[in-house]
Amino acid sequence: VILPTNVFCGYIPLLFALYALIRVKNMSAERKAVIFFWGIVGLIFFLIALGLKPFGENEFLNGLTPYRFVFRGILRQFRIPVRFSLVTMIALYVVASFGAAEFVKRSGQKLLRHAVLGLFIVSLQVIEFMPLPFPLLDLTVPAKYYRLAKLDPGTPVLVIPLGWQSSYTTVGTFDKRVQVYQTVHGHPVFQGQI
């Protein structure tokens, strides 16, 4: 079962962020301050996004994660730590943009060269995130669900085997395809996740 804990920021932004950190000594004080600020923000949110068990079953190391210290009481409602990876990505992309700007600046002073390099960088990023090969999951709906659509509308459907999924655990057999099939038959189902 794949829980919503997988994040991919891309190799190109990582390379440009690394390049920015390597070249930071040659940048202005203002750029250094921005890179430092977003680097610290990204690191903090990355550590929070690791969640409760980044070290598997090692209770000592898991007890040291920032998520356990920060999210107590009412803040426990932030139950999916991977949500904090969004701020991590924003920080990474800000730092990577400084690296890309430095890379383009070192290529020379011609405007056409800057435009071509900028377009090349954007093209690499678009290619990296293209969902190829597409589709990655066969969502062909079996014929029985089309037949079910013709039966009494509004009658609930119990899918067996039954399963539930929370932010961290799965109980029983939770098949996400059931929700796709529901878009065809239109009946309420007993299992699901919002």
Side-chain angles (χ1 to χ4, degrees):
V1 174
I2 298 175
L3 297 174
T5 56
N6 303 318
V7 177
F8 178 65
C9 60
Y11 299 111
I12 305 302
L14 283 174
L15 289 174
F16 280 118
L18 183 63
Y19 187 73
L21 295 176
I22 291 169
R23 302 286 303 163
V24 73
K25 63 182 176 292
N26 299 334
M27 296 182 190
S28 67
E30 181 180 285
R31 285 182 174 223
K32 286 180 186 178
V34 172
I35 289 172
F36 179 75
F37 171 78
W38 282 106
I40 295 297
V41 167
L43 181 63
I44 290 170
F45 276 84
F46 173 74
L47 291 173
I48 292 172
L50 289 175
L52 291 170
K53 294 185 175 185
F55 302 104
E57 297 303 319
N58 188 325
E59 288 301 319
F60 174 73
L61 291 176
N62 287 333
L64 300 176
T65 60
Y67 189 84
R68 289 193 188 271
F69 295 117
V70 175
F71 299 103
R72 297 182 178 273
I74 191 75
L75 292 178
R76 285 292 290 165
Q77 296 305 312
F78 294 109
R79 60 187 188 278
I80 301 179
V82 76
R83 291 176 180 159
F84 295 97
S85 63
L86 177 64
V87 179
T88 304
M89 297 271 225
I90 291 170
L92 174 71
Y93 275 85
V94 169
V95 174
S97 68
F98 282 103
E102 189 70 19
F103 180 76
V104 169
K105 188 172 84 172
R106 288 182 51 99
S107 70
Q109 296 299 322
K110 295 193 177 187
L111 183 61
L112 180 62
R113 187 178 297 162
H114 287 201
V116 169
L117 271 175
L119 186 61
F120 178 69
I121 292 168
V122 170
S123 299
L124 283 177
Q125 189 65 42
V126 168
I127 290 169
E128 187 172 36
F129 279 98
M130 281 181 130
L132 296 175
F134 187 79
L136 298 175
L137 179 64
D138 181 21
L139 294 177
T140 305
V141 179
K144 62 185 173 185
Y145 291 101
Y146 290 102
R147 288 192 302 271
L148 183 61
K150 296 176 185 173
L151 299 178
D152 301 327
T155 305
V157 175
L158 177 61
V159 180
I160 298 177
L162 188 62
W164 288 276
Q165 181 178 5
S166 72
S167 302
Y168 295 104
T169 61
T170 300
V171 177
T173 303
F174 182 76
D175 188 359
K176 294 178 182 178
R177 292 177 298 182
V178 169
Q179 294 173 328
V180 174
Y181 301 156
Q182 184 189 19
T183 63
V184 171
H185 65 71
H187 293 273
V189 293
F190 190 68
Q191 72 180 20
Q193 179 180 7
I194 297 175

